[in-house]
């Protein structure tokens, strides 16, 4: 079963619109971490945020905000007043650290965001 | 410039060729990773090295052979590849033990491999 689901394959918005990227995860661990990464056309994945499973407080960083809800196993990402530079593929990821097996990272399939000027 | 450098950025090879991908990290991290990114698929973890020892090998075919001579360098040796191996190969590094779920991965820009 897929651990991280990003149901939105592609999204297009007009500049200055708000957009929310959905992420649903699945885990049986009580301790886990959730991440968002941005992959611009240049290729490298850029780290945006990490949350641990014990901190459900929503976070805002400039135009970016994240909504973590354990009740629905979701970790959604909202970009406010989108800009052309936000065009990229965004990946949600789950990291588990079960004892004696080493770190396990699971990435979603990504959401390709296009911001139209 | 990213703290993780991958070369070459693009590689085209025939199925009988032998080539290598190189990754170098300048961040002082002690864990390095190879991921495969194919279209419409999640990133696939291939190999993990922690303190220069391989700690993860996710059932990767033997035609992919990793090498980690020191904590700053990671190679992926390629031999007798198949067209379905064409993908973007991403290197990443992290600080701390590879069994810590809190690791933040720092990625390189990737090597785009095409197998003819």
């Amino acid at each position: 079963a897929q651990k991280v689901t990003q149901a939105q394959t592609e999204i297009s918005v007009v500049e200055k619109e708000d957009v929310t990227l959905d992420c649903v995860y699945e885990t049986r661990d009580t301790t886990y971490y959730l991440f968002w990464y941005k992959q611009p056309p240049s290729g490298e994945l850029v780290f945006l945020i990490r949350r641990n499973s014990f901190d459900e407080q929503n976070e805002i960083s400039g135009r970016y905000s994240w909504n973590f809800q354990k009740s629905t196993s979701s970790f959604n990402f909202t970009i406010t007043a989108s800009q052309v530079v936000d065009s990229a593929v965004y990946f949600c990821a789950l990291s588990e650290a079960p004892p004696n097996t080493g770190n396990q990272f699971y990435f979603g399939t990504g959401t390709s965001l296009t911001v139209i000027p | 410039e990213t703290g993780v450098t991958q070369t070459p950025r693009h590689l085209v090879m025939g199925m009988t060729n032998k080539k290598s991908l190189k990754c170098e990290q300048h961040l002082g991290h002690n864990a390095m990773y190879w991921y495969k990114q194919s279209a419409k698929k999640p990133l696939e973890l291939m190999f993990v090295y922690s303190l220069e020892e391989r700690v993860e090998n996710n059932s990767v075919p033997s035609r992919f052979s990793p090498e980690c001579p020191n904590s700053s360098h990671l190679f992926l040796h390629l031999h007798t590849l198949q067209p379905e191996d064409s993908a973007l190969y991403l290197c990443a590094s992290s600080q701390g033990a590879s069994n810590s779920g809190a690791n933040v991965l720092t990625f390189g820009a990737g090597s785009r491999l095409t197998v003819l």
Side-chain angles (χ1 to χ4, degrees):
Chain A
Q2 197 162 325
K3 289 270 193 176
V4 177
T5 302
Q6 294 180 256
Q8 303 151 307
T9 306
E10 296 179 359
I11 299 177
S12 291
V13 298
V14 177
E15 200 171 21
K16 299 184 182 178
E17 287 184 347
D18 299 347
V19 58
T20 296
L21 309 182
D22 298 333
C23 174
V24 175
Y25 63 92
E26 177 185 335
T27 181
R28 294 183 179 180
D29 285 8
T30 54
T31 301
Y32 54 90
Y33 296 82
L34 296 165
F35 300 78
W36 276 95
Y37 283 86
K38 173 183 179 180
Q39 186 178 37
S42 55
E44 78 278 13
L45 275 76
V46 177
F47 166 75
L48 295 178
I49 190 171
R50 175 187 65 196
R51 304 295 291 185
N52 72 56
S53 52
F54 299 107
D55 184 2
E56 286 194 72
Q57 195 169 15
N58 291 332
E59 183 159 338
I60 298 175
S61 176
R63 295 184 296 107
Y64 295 171
S65 62
W66 291 269
N67 183 355
F68 176 27
Q69 292 195 350
K70 290 178 75 170
S71 60
T72 56
S73 297
S74 65
F75 186 44
N76 297 337
F77 173 30
T78 297
I79 302 175
T80 303
S82 59
Q83 300 176 2
V84 173
V85 293
D86 296 326
S87 297
V89 181
Y90 291 86
F91 290 91
C92 180
L94 164 72
S95 176
E96 299 171 333
N100 304 318
T101 62
N103 183 30
Q104 299 288 330
F105 257 96
Y106 302 92
F107 283 84
T109 50
T111 297
S112 177
L113 174 65
T114 300
V115 180
I116 303 166
Chain B
E1 181 183 317
T2 178
V4 179
T5 304
Q6 290 187 243
T7 55
R9 292 295 309 277
H10 299 274
L11 177 63
V12 179
M13 59 186 290
M15 290 190 287
T16 58
N17 291 158
K18 288 184 182 180
K19 298 286 184 182
S20 296
L21 305 181
K22 178 183 176 183
C23 176
E24 182 175 0
Q25 59 99 358
H26 318 277
L27 301 167
H29 289 169
N30 55 20
M32 297 187 77
Y33 310 74
W34 279 116
Y35 279 87
K36 176 183 178 183
Q37 184 178 20
S38 304
K40 310 298 184 186
K41 291 185 178 180
L43 269 70
E44 301 173 50
L45 177 64
M46 300 176 72
F47 301 103
V48 181
Y49 277 83
S50 179
L51 299 173
E52 300 153 45
E53 288 191 15
R54 189 191 305 182
V55 296
E56 186 85 24
N57 176 357
N58 274 3
S59 303
V60 179
S62 60
R63 56 185 184 270
F64 295 92
S65 174
E67 178 189 0
C68 188
N70 55 61
S71 60
S72 298
H73 294 86
L74 184 65
F75 295 89
L76 188 62
H77 303 301
L78 315 170
H79 175 52
T80 320
L81 296 191
Q82 305 297 313
E84 59 264 28
D85 296 321
S86 299
L88 181 67
Y89 289 84
L90 291 162
C91 175
S93 67
S94 68
Q95 181 59 23
S98 67
N99 61 354
S100 167
N103 284 346
V104 173
L105 300 177
T106 300
F107 284 87
S111 293
R112 173 71 63 185
L113 173 66
T114 302
V115 181
L116 302 176

